[in-house]
């Protein structure tokens, strides 16, 4: 069994031109930047910034966001080289197929299926909570059984998933225009919050900027971080160690920029536009994250920041309750684009895997009018809608993080592999300082993964085992690459 058979880059690019499987190239560099900003900027900017400042880093949380951005930037440079060299749908799955072989590609694709579907469902449930909060403020709340995380059947969550699924089926340009409008609303709200907050910043709240270090009680059992179990490293709050620990937490706020690579096959000039989209969106998001973190710790002393809504409560503390409503509107807009782009990425990974025969090939059909992978989009949308409507998913959200980091690490290593195996390939964008940048990127991903709980690693391992069984039962037998190799041997 040849589990490491690689799919030539030329074959991957050739497959994009097949009748019935050809996607419409309609996205510009600006569209891709907006996609990246749309998926990265979610409720984390309204919640995570204050929570991490209070528990880990104090005002030094701004450094934590900058450090996390550097780590993500290393991975982004690797993604940019791959996406511009292999401009094919599927992101890390397609890149792995060209470098590590079919079985590793299947594993990373299976990982991305879990990551993106679960993330979309979790975000949809969060969207429902903000809608419920806004409706309650307006005096027209929905029953708790029908909205929010404790709902028996979460109608708003199902509604938003089905709406964005419809938008995605109607075409990539319709999706990008819808995304641009909603992202514009989100960014305007964030900028208004930043500007308004500046008027209430007090210099004394920045002192000390990095509070003295103190031990943080360790989490025990399966909920303990793996690094703590392996090396006996106790968690630390504040000080520079606290700033680095906070960077590991806020790293998750940046997850999503890699989905830009999933739209490679629908970009007008992928060799030029994809690096701009991936790196540009990361730069914009970093500036917004750092600005918001500086405002929230300047408005209210970090020790008094609230658990659930630190930014909104900071405005309430200075007598500006109107901001809570504004923040809810920004969060609803933000989460709408996150759901849209997560479903876009998920459907494109599914499309690429089915086109390769590792999943049923009938799923890879493209709509004759809209030129979108409508079957995979509809199927993914329905599954995510059911998950969001019926299952409380907050406990499984960390699976999204470990899956993404696993993909980041493989792509980083893959740059080194493809440089060695295919030095002849034209590369319109080249990762600088190879091999230093890919190695640092892979190590940064591994460090953050080690900070995840043991139970998350066990669930992740279980999902990969299920995927391996499915590959040997179906994917290996129906692989188009395998069929081509068999035909070549017979000749």
């Amino acid at each position: 069994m040849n589990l490491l058979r690689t799919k030539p880059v030329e074959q991957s690019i050739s497959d994009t031109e097949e009748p019935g499987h050809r996607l419409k190239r309609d996205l510009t560099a600006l569209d891709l930047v907006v996609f990246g900003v749309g998926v990265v900027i979610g409720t984390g900017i309204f919640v995570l910034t204050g929570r991490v400042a209070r528990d880990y880093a104090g005002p030094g949380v701004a450094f934590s966001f900058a450090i996390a951005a550097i780590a993500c930037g290393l991975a982004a440079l690797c993604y940019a080289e791959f996406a511009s060299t292999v401009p094919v749908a599927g992101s890390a799955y397609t890149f792995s197929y060209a470098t590590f072989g079919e079985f590793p590609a299947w594993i990373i694709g299976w990982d991305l299926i879990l990551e993106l579907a679960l993330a979309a469902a979790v975000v949809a449930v969060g969207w429902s909570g903000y809608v419920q909060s806004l409706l309650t403020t307006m005096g027209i709340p929905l029953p708790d059984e029908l909205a929010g995380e404790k709902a028996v059947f979460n109608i708003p969550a199902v509604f938003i998933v089905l709406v964005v699924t419809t938008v995605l089926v109607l075409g990539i340009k319709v999706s990008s225009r819808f995304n641009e409008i909603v992202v514009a609303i989100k960014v305007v709200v964030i900028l208004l919050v930043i500007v308004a907050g500046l008027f209430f910043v007090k210099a004394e709240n920045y002192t000390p900027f990095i509070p003295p270090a103190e031990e943080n009680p360790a989490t025990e059992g399966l909920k303990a971080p793996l690094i703590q179990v392996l090396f006996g490293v106790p968690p630390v709050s504040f000080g520079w160690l606290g700033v680095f620990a906070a960077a590991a937490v806020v790293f998750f706020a940046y997850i999503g920029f890699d989905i830009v690579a999933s739209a490679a096959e629908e970009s007008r000039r992928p060799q030029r536009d994809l690096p701009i989209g991936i790196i540009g969106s990361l730069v914009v998001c970093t500036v917004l994250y750092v600005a918001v973190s500086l405002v929230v710790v300047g408005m209210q002393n970090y020790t008094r920041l609230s658990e659930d809504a630190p930014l909104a409560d900071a405005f309430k503390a200075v007598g500006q309750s109107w901001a809570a409503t504004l923040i809810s509107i920004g969060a609803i807009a933000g989460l709408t684009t996150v759901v849209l782009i997560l479903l876009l990425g998920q459907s494109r990974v599914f499309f690429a895997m089915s086109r390769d025969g590792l999943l049923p090939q009938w799923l890879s059909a493209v709509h004759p009018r809209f030129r979108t992978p409508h079957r995979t989009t509809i199927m993914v949308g329905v599954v995510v809608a059911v998950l969001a409507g019926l299952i409380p998913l907050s406990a499984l959200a960390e699976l999204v993080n470990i899956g993404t980091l696993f993909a980041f690490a493989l792509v980083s290593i893959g740059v080194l592999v493809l440089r060695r195996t295919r030095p002849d390939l034209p590369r319109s964008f080249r990762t600088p300082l190879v091999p230093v940048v890919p190695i640092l990127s892979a190590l940064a991903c591994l460090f953050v993964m080690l900070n995840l709980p043991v139970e998350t690693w066990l669930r992740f391992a279980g999902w990969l085992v299920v995927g391996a069984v499915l590959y040997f039962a179906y994917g290996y037998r129906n692989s188009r690459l395998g069929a081509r190799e068999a035909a070549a041997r017979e000749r």
Side-chain angles (χ1 to χ4, degrees), residues 218-231 233 235 449-454 457:
T219 308
E220 297 180 352
L222 293 179
K223 295 187 179 298
L226 183 61
I227 193 170
Q228 178 184 316
V229 175
L230 294 177
F231 304 107
V233 179
M449 290 172 74
L450 289 174
N451 280 274
L452 290 170
V454 174
W457 282 84

Tab-separated table of all heavy atoms in Angstrom, residues 218-231 233 235 449-454 457:
chain	number	residue	atom	x	y	z
A	218	ALA	N	-2.744	25.582	39.591
A	218	ALA	CA	-2.722	24.674	38.442
A	218	ALA	C	-4.046	23.938	38.289
A	218	ALA	O	-4.667	23.537	39.262
A	218	ALA	CB	-1.590	23.670	38.595
A	219	THR	N	-4.462	23.767	37.046
A	219	THR	CA	-5.606	22.916	36.748
A	219	THR	C	-5.134	21.472	36.802
A	219	THR	O	-4.037	21.152	36.358
A	219	THR	CB	-6.162	23.239	35.352
A	219	THR	OG1	-6.403	24.638	35.267
A	219	THR	CG2	-7.455	22.494	35.092
A	220	GLU	N	-5.964	20.597	37.348
A	220	GLU	CA	-5.535	19.213	37.546
A	220	GLU	C	-6.277	18.259	36.623
A	220	GLU	O	-7.283	18.600	36.013
A	220	GLU	CB	-5.768	18.804	39.015
A	220	GLU	CG	-4.951	19.629	40.009
A	220	GLU	CD	-5.205	19.213	41.456
A	220	GLU	OE1	-6.128	18.398	41.667
A	220	GLU	OE2	-4.488	19.703	42.337
A	221	GLY	N	-5.751	17.023	36.563
A	221	GLY	CA	-6.415	15.965	35.802
A	221	GLY	C	-6.361	16.192	34.310
A	221	GLY	O	-5.429	16.803	33.769
A	222	LEU	N	-7.399	15.726	33.600
A	222	LEU	CA	-7.434	15.822	32.142
A	222	LEU	C	-7.593	17.249	31.649
A	222	LEU	O	-7.361	17.537	30.479
A	222	LEU	CB	-8.577	14.954	31.590
A	222	LEU	CG	-8.421	13.443	31.770
A	222	LEU	CD1	-9.638	12.721	31.208
A	222	LEU	CD2	-7.138	12.930	31.101
A	223	LYS	N	-8.018	18.161	32.530
A	223	LYS	CA	-8.185	19.558	32.131
A	223	LYS	C	-6.883	20.352	32.230
A	223	LYS	O	-6.828	21.514	31.851
A	223	LYS	CB	-9.272	20.230	32.985
A	223	LYS	CG	-10.658	19.645	32.770
A	223	LYS	CD	-11.719	20.434	33.503
A	223	LYS	CE	-13.106	19.857	33.252
A	223	LYS	NZ	-13.494	19.906	31.835
A	224	ALA	N	-5.832	19.732	32.761
A	224	ALA	CA	-4.540	20.402	32.889
A	224	ALA	C	-3.885	20.535	31.516
A	224	ALA	O	-4.003	19.642	30.672
A	224	ALA	CB	-3.632	19.617	33.824
A	225	PRO	N	-3.171	21.641	31.257
A	225	PRO	CA	-2.424	21.760	30.004
A	225	PRO	C	-1.408	20.624	29.868
A	225	PRO	O	-0.788	20.210	30.859
A	225	PRO	CB	-1.719	23.113	30.140
A	225	PRO	CG	-2.515	23.870	31.144
A	225	PRO	CD	-3.049	22.843	32.105
A	226	LEU	N	-1.213	20.122	28.647
A	226	LEU	CA	-0.304	19.001	28.436
A	226	LEU	C	1.121	19.350	28.868
A	226	LEU	O	1.831	18.506	29.422
A	226	LEU	CB	-0.326	18.595	26.960
A	226	LEU	CG	0.532	17.375	26.591
A	226	LEU	CD1	0.069	16.137	27.348
A	226	LEU	CD2	0.488	17.133	25.088
A	227	ILE	N	1.544	20.600	28.651
A	227	ILE	CA	2.897	21.002	29.019
A	227	ILE	C	3.107	20.894	30.529
A	227	ILE	O	4.194	20.567	31.008
A	227	ILE	CB	3.200	22.441	28.527
A	227	ILE	CG1	4.695	22.730	28.630
A	227	ILE	CG2	2.376	23.479	29.281
A	227	ILE	CD1	5.101	24.030	27.946
A	228	GLN	N	2.029	21.149	31.281
A	228	GLN	CA	2.104	21.037	32.740
A	228	GLN	C	2.277	19.578	33.161
A	228	GLN	O	3.053	19.254	34.062
A	228	GLN	CB	0.833	21.623	33.359
A	228	GLN	CG	0.756	21.517	34.862
A	228	GLN	CD	-0.580	22.036	35.365
A	228	GLN	OE1	-1.054	23.075	34.908
A	228	GLN	NE2	-1.205	21.312	36.284
A	229	VAL	N	1.571	18.673	32.474
A	229	VAL	CA	1.654	17.245	32.789
A	229	VAL	C	3.023	16.684	32.409
A	229	VAL	O	3.628	15.906	33.154
A	229	VAL	CB	0.531	16.476	32.059
A	229	VAL	CG1	0.684	14.977	32.272
A	229	VAL	CG2	-0.835	16.949	32.547
A	230	LEU	N	3.547	17.096	31.242
A	230	LEU	CA	4.808	16.544	30.756
A	230	LEU	C	6.026	17.076	31.505
A	230	LEU	O	6.960	16.336	31.801
A	230	LEU	CB	4.962	16.840	29.258
A	230	LEU	CG	3.971	16.158	28.312
A	230	LEU	CD1	4.210	16.610	26.882
A	230	LEU	CD2	4.071	14.645	28.414
A	231	PHE	N	6.007	18.383	31.808
A	231	PHE	CA	7.212	19.009	32.349
A	231	PHE	C	7.032	19.582	33.760
A	231	PHE	O	7.985	20.115	34.323
A	231	PHE	CB	7.682	20.133	31.416
A	231	PHE	CG	7.934	19.682	30.011
A	231	PHE	CD1	7.070	20.024	28.991
A	231	PHE	CD2	9.029	18.889	29.710
A	231	PHE	CE1	7.287	19.607	27.686
A	231	PHE	CE2	9.269	18.466	28.400
A	231	PHE	CZ	8.402	18.817	27.393
A	233	VAL	N	5.394	22.195	34.609
A	233	VAL	CA	5.504	23.655	34.567
A	233	VAL	C	4.230	24.269	35.137
A	233	VAL	O	3.149	24.093	34.566
A	233	VAL	CB	5.710	24.153	33.122
A	233	VAL	CG1	5.790	25.668	33.089
A	233	VAL	CG2	6.961	23.520	32.532
A	235	PRO	N	1.369	27.027	35.890
A	235	PRO	CA	0.906	28.224	35.186
A	235	PRO	C	1.285	29.476	35.973
A	235	PRO	O	1.257	29.482	37.199
A	235	PRO	CB	-0.616	28.051	35.131
A	235	PRO	CG	-0.905	26.673	35.557
A	235	PRO	CD	0.270	26.161	36.316
A	449	MET	N	0.121	24.317	21.180
A	449	MET	CA	-0.610	23.052	21.316
A	449	MET	C	-0.355	22.415	22.685
A	449	MET	O	-1.261	21.851	23.304
A	449	MET	CB	-0.212	22.085	20.203
A	449	MET	CG	-0.708	22.494	18.824
A	449	MET	SD	-0.046	21.458	17.493
A	449	MET	CE	-0.990	19.951	17.739
A	450	LEU	N	0.879	22.513	23.171
A	450	LEU	CA	1.206	21.930	24.477
A	450	LEU	C	0.485	22.630	25.620
A	450	LEU	O	0.363	22.074	26.714
A	450	LEU	CB	2.715	21.983	24.711
A	450	LEU	CG	3.565	21.039	23.855
A	450	LEU	CD1	5.049	21.294	24.077
A	450	LEU	CD2	3.225	19.580	24.159
A	451	ASN	N	0.003	23.838	25.381
A	451	ASN	CA	-0.729	24.562	26.413
A	451	ASN	C	-2.224	24.215	26.434
A	451	ASN	O	-2.975	24.764	27.235
A	451	ASN	CB	-0.558	26.080	26.233
A	451	ASN	CG	0.768	26.577	26.775
A	451	ASN	OD1	0.899	26.882	27.947
A	451	ASN	ND2	1.773	26.624	25.912
A	452	LEU	N	-2.641	23.310	25.546
A	452	LEU	CA	-4.035	22.866	25.528
A	452	LEU	C	-4.227	21.699	26.488
A	452	LEU	O	-3.299	20.943	26.766
A	452	LEU	CB	-4.433	22.442	24.111
A	452	LEU	CG	-4.556	23.592	23.105
A	452	LEU	CD1	-4.698	23.043	21.699
A	452	LEU	CD2	-5.734	24.486	23.454
A	453	PRO	N	-5.457	21.524	27.016
A	453	PRO	CA	-5.708	20.461	28.001
A	453	PRO	C	-5.488	19.059	27.438
A	453	PRO	O	-5.620	18.819	26.236
A	453	PRO	CB	-7.185	20.669	28.370
A	453	PRO	CG	-7.488	22.077	28.007
A	453	PRO	CD	-6.627	22.395	26.822
A	454	VAL	N	-5.184	18.129	28.330
A	454	VAL	CA	-4.968	16.732	27.950
A	454	VAL	C	-6.217	16.167	27.281
A	454	VAL	O	-6.129	15.432	26.281
A	454	VAL	CB	-4.595	15.891	29.191
A	454	VAL	CG1	-4.516	14.409	28.834
A	454	VAL	CG2	-3.266	16.372	29.777
A	457	TRP	N	-6.405	16.818	23.610
A	457	TRP	CA	-5.526	15.931	22.846
A	457	TRP	C	-6.159	14.556	22.655
A	457	TRP	O	-6.071	13.964	21.578
A	457	TRP	CB	-4.180	15.783	23.561
A	457	TRP	CG	-3.263	16.952	23.366
A	457	TRP	CD1	-3.256	18.120	24.080
A	457	TRP	CD2	-2.231	17.070	22.390
A	457	TRP	NE1	-2.275	18.957	23.613
A	457	TRP	CE2	-1.625	18.342	22.580
A	457	TRP	CE3	-1.745	16.243	21.391
A	457	TRP	CZ2	-0.554	18.786	21.794
A	457	TRP	CZ3	-0.692	16.675	20.605
A	457	TRP	CH2	-0.104	17.944	20.810
